[in-house]
Amino acid sequence: MAPEQSTDRGDGEELGRFLRARRTQTRPDQVGLTVGTGLRRTPGLRREELATLSGISIDYYVRLERGKETRPSPAVLDALARALRLDDAEHQHLRELATRAAQYAPEPSPPSRTVSPHLKLVLETLRPSPAYVIGRSMDLLAWNPGGLALFAGLADWPATQRNIARYLFLHPTAPILFPDWDYQVRGCVARLRAQSGIDPDAPDLTHLVGELLLKSPDFAKLWERYDVVGRKKVQKTFHHPEVGVLTLSGQSMHLEGTPGQRLGVYTAEPGTADHDAMLLLDLTVPQPATHLYVTAEERRHTRS
């Protein structure tokens, strides 16, 4: 399998970081290699092992990992993905990094922090189900009362500081609220890693990542792993200081016409204790809640 001619143009550093992270976290036995009894100095696969498994030269792979080779062919990318046992999301991320390295990627649309009056009305309509809108860097942009109260203590922060990732790693209540906090933070970092990999110069992402690297050793350790797949649970359990333990079903969806924005909603079956707790949660935020309530003018604009 012959790689395409290198031009040494573009930014291949992020592509190299991802390959290195996946290589060092892939054990030889996972890919069918027999390991001898001697001490291995390299965690995971050696470069020459991965190159051999992928059918490319060791020199070419080293150039890829060092960010010097920026135009790997689709066949090379597919071979690396097979050798590293990447899942579909990781394979797609590898392709996106290669596209950016080759400078073929279109300029991403700048993220907007503006939430339309229509979406604010949707949040109100979803009550008592906790619901919110977040941006690509997990900034909380809009919410209904339960959507803010669900993250206990987050309302104490200024609106501009309300960010799900910042909350998980820096708010003292987060490890108490989530009994599976380790699981939650791994998924959070993986989503940020994936987004940052394809848009590494985005100011909102670089600012947040820089802050968390500085303030949270847990975040720094997970960031170094370069996982890009966050497993999501359909249900989440919250140990909430105001309403007790409740288990809710969660759903997240991208919003049309709003680059990077997603709607998150949690629900519970009516008549259950979880639903009763959710009703109480809807009443815990003083009225009116910032970023939630739609003015009469906004309502008229929405109807028009």
Side-chain angles (χ1 to χ4, degrees), residues 19-28 35 38-50 61 65:
L19 287 171
R20 183 166 54 253
R22 298 277 64 79
R23 174 177 63 81
T24 57
Q25 293 176 51
T26 302
R27 300 191 312 273
V35 181
L39 178 65
R40 290 175 63 94
R41 296 181 180 180
T42 303
L45 293 176
R46 297 188 176 103
R47 290 188 180 93
E48 57 268 25
E49 291 172 334
L50 179 53
Y61 177 76
E65 197 168 286

Side-chain angles (χ1 to χ4, degrees), residues 12-26 45 50 54 56 60-61 63-67 69 72 76-77 80-81 84 86 94 97 226:
E13 291 184 2
E14 197 65 27
L15 175 63
R17 289 192 191 100
F18 182 63
L19 287 171
R20 183 166 54 253
R22 298 277 64 79
R23 174 177 63 81
T24 57
Q25 293 176 51
T26 302
L45 293 176
L50 179 53
S54 305
I56 60 179
Y60 183 73
Y61 177 76
R63 288 175 60 77
L64 274 174
E65 197 168 286
R66 290 178 177 174
E69 173 55 58
V76 167
L77 296 175
L80 287 166
L84 290 167
L86 301 186
L94 179 65
L97 292 179
Y226 210 136

Side-chain angles (χ1 to χ4, degrees), residues 226-248:
Y226 210 136
D227 292 327
V228 297
V229 180
R231 309 297 181 187
K232 291 185 178 181
K233 292 182 177 179
V234 176
Q235 291 188 320
K236 287 186 182 180
T237 297
F238 302 83
H239 289 191
H240 202 281
E242 299 292 333
V243 299
V245 178
L246 68 163
T247 299
L248 304 176

